[in-house]
Amino acid sequence: TAGTEGPAAARLGHYNAANTPAFVHSGQTVNWNDATLDGNFTGASVLSGSLIIQAAGTPPVEPEEPDDTTTVDESDINDLEDETEAVDQEVDDQIDSGNVTTETVTKTATVANKAATQTSTLVTGSTTGTISTPNTLNVLVAATGSAQTGGKVANSTTTADKTAVTASTKTIIKDTGKLLTTIADSGTTITTEQKTQVQNIIVNLAGAAKNITGGATGKVVDEEMKDDSMDEEMKKDMEAAFKAATKLKVPLSDETQTVIKEAAVSIQVAALAELTGKNSEELTQEDLQAAFNDPVTREKVLAASPTLPNANPRSEEDVTNDINNYIAQNYPQRPTGTT
């Protein structure tokens, strides 16, 4: 039967005397439009669009993203992962040797900036239109990996300026909380594979937060970081990510919860260090213990921890022990004969 787009094309909704043309051809695409249907069904309300016919058992056709969907090119994501892997190995080797070179700090800052640009692009897109869940999760896996490396460098021993790498790492952490929240609030049901991606993102995020607040070397934060109330920022950003993971029904393994707890302790000790009023190079175990023993300061420090998505919440006694152990392991004792 002659159709709307040429000989033998199917014609949706068209009755041709004895029968209605059947949709029987595998891979056939049926097009219809208002003008054609109006001519056959006078006065009827019609829809315009496309119908793709597939043979039984063939994979479903993936729907196209809406025109207002913001995505990052997959090749750019892959490049970011490759660059992060290369510079991360370089950073680890140099940390082991006792000093991270200016060249490596610059490389790390460049990679972290690329990651921050990708996450920020999606954050902007989420406010002006929509984002793609699969694409966004791919970006966050790569970007939070870069944040892990950036956090290591931000707290490494080096003579290089760490301002740029610190800023980009903080941007990635903040954007991750926002983007996971956007996905969770959209009502999207994510796949098992995507839940694994979220687990990896949370682990990377916690590791980055731990590093950037001083966990890697025992230092607290650089002076320019203290001005930004680092601990309060990290608390909010981490909580946003944790809440989103819970809403997405992502199970967190014991290992994941351990990393999260370590990040929380690091954030709390960063808050404690800030409350002492001393810079990171001067702090000793005695300074921190004296501050933590003050009831008012103690209350502030305990409140600095992000609410954790742990199956078994920590008691105050557990938190206190974790903080005391962290201080003992990461800060020097006061030299004998000094006060």
Side-chain angles (χ1 to χ4, degrees), residues 77 118-119 122 135-146 172 175-177 179-180 183 197 200-201 204:
I77 301 173
Q118 291 187 9
T119 60
L122 293 178
N135 181 261
T136 300
L137 292 179
N138 288 343
V139 168
L140 290 180
V141 169
T144 54
S146 299
I172 296 166
D175 286 350
T176 299
L179 291 170
L180 287 178
I183 293 173
Q197 285 186 299
N200 292 337
I201 290 165
N204 289 344

Side-chain angles (χ1 to χ4, degrees), residues 26 37 47 50 80 119 130 205 221 230 241 246 257 261 306 316:
S26 174
L37 294 184
L47 298 174
S50 295
L80 176 61
T119 60
T130 59
L205 191 69
V221 288
M230 169 76 71
T246 299
Q257 294 195 46
K261 183 193 76 172
E316 183 173 330

Side-chain angles (χ1 to χ4, degrees), residues 290-302:
F292 192 46
N293 290 335
D294 176 73
V296 175
T297 301
R298 183 188 186 85
E299 184 176 351
K300 291 179 180 179
V301 170
L302 294 177

Side-chain angles (χ1 to χ4, degrees), residues 77-146:
I77 301 173
N78 293 335
D79 288 345
L80 176 61
E81 289 181 325
D82 291 342
E83 291 173 23
T84 298
E85 183 177 355
V87 77
D88 186 69
Q89 185 60 58
E90 192 173 315
V91 168
D92 284 345
D93 290 344
Q94 293 184 10
I95 287 176
D96 289 343
S97 69
N99 180 68
V100 178
T101 67
T102 298
E103 181 183 5
T104 299
V105 172
T106 300
K107 285 182 184 178
T108 307
T110 299
V111 173
N113 182 61
K114 287 183 179 180
T117 298
Q118 291 187 9
T119 60
S120 295
T121 294
L122 293 178
V123 168
T124 300
S126 70
T127 61
T128 58
T130 59
I131 54 176
S132 161
T133 294
N135 181 261
T136 300
L137 292 179
N138 288 343
V139 168
L140 290 180
V141 169
T144 54
S146 299

Side-chain angles (χ1 to χ4, degrees), residues 17-270:
N19 58 17
T20 300
F23 295 153
V24 296
H25 299 292
S26 174
Q28 182 176 14
T29 298
V30 179
N31 295 288
W32 66 97
N33 54 66
D34 292 355
T36 301
L37 294 184
D38 278 344
N40 290 281
F41 301 94
T42 304
S45 297
V46 298
L47 298 174
S48 299
S50 295
L51 175 65
I52 299 175
I53 310 300
Q54 288 187 293
T58 58
V61 175
E62 292 294 331
E64 294 183 2
E65 298 289 352
D67 291 341
D68 62 349
T69 298
T70 299
T71 59
V72 174
D73 192 283
E74 291 294 334
S75 64
D76 291 337
I77 301 173
N78 293 335
D79 288 345
L80 176 61
E81 289 181 325
D82 291 342
E83 291 173 23
T84 298
E85 183 177 355
V87 77
D88 186 69
Q89 185 60 58
E90 192 173 315
V91 168
D92 284 345
D93 290 344
Q94 293 184 10
I95 287 176
D96 289 343
S97 69
N99 180 68
V100 178
T101 67
T102 298
E103 181 183 5
T104 299
V105 172
T106 300
K107 285 182 184 178
T108 307
T110 299
V111 173
N113 182 61
K114 287 183 179 180
T117 298
Q118 291 187 9
T119 60
S120 295
T121 294
L122 293 178
V123 168
T124 300
S126 70
T127 61
T128 58
T130 59
I131 54 176
S132 161
T133 294
N135 181 261
T136 300
L137 292 179
N138 288 343
V139 168
L140 290 180
V141 169
T144 54
S146 299
Q148 277 253 46
T149 306
K152 294 177 188 178
V153 169
N155 284 281
S156 66
T157 300
T158 180
T159 58
D161 184 356
K162 299 179 285 186
T163 304
V165 69
T166 298
S168 292
T169 301
K170 290 168 64 178
T171 296
I172 296 166
I173 294 172
K174 183 176 294 295
D175 286 350
T176 299
K178 290 179 180 178
L179 291 170
L180 287 178
T181 299
T182 297
I183 293 173
D185 290 347
S186 70
T188 299
T189 299
I190 61 176
T191 66
T192 300
E193 182 180 353
Q194 289 171 337
K195 287 182 179 180
T196 299
Q197 285 186 299
V198 174
Q199 289 177 338
N200 292 337
I201 290 165
I202 293 296
V203 169
N204 289 344
L205 191 69
K210 173 188 173 183
N211 286 334
I212 206 167
T213 51
T217 64
K219 295 177 183 178
V220 186
V221 288
D222 292 333
E223 291 306 304
E224 70 271 13
M225 295 160 67
K226 290 179 71 172
D227 294 337
D228 297 331
S229 297
M230 169 76 71
D231 52 286
E232 184 63 25
E233 284 188 42
M234 289 295 150
K235 176 183 177 179
K236 292 178 180 178
D237 299 338
M238 297 292 286
E239 282 185 344
F242 296 158
K243 288 179 181 177
T246 299
K247 193 169 185 177
L248 289 168
K249 296 181 172 55
V250 175
L252 299 178
S253 65
D254 291 342
E255 179 184 0
T256 302
Q257 294 195 46
T258 297
V259 175
I260 289 172
K261 183 193 76 172
E262 290 173 351
V265 173
S266 181
I267 290 171
Q268 288 174 304
V269 176

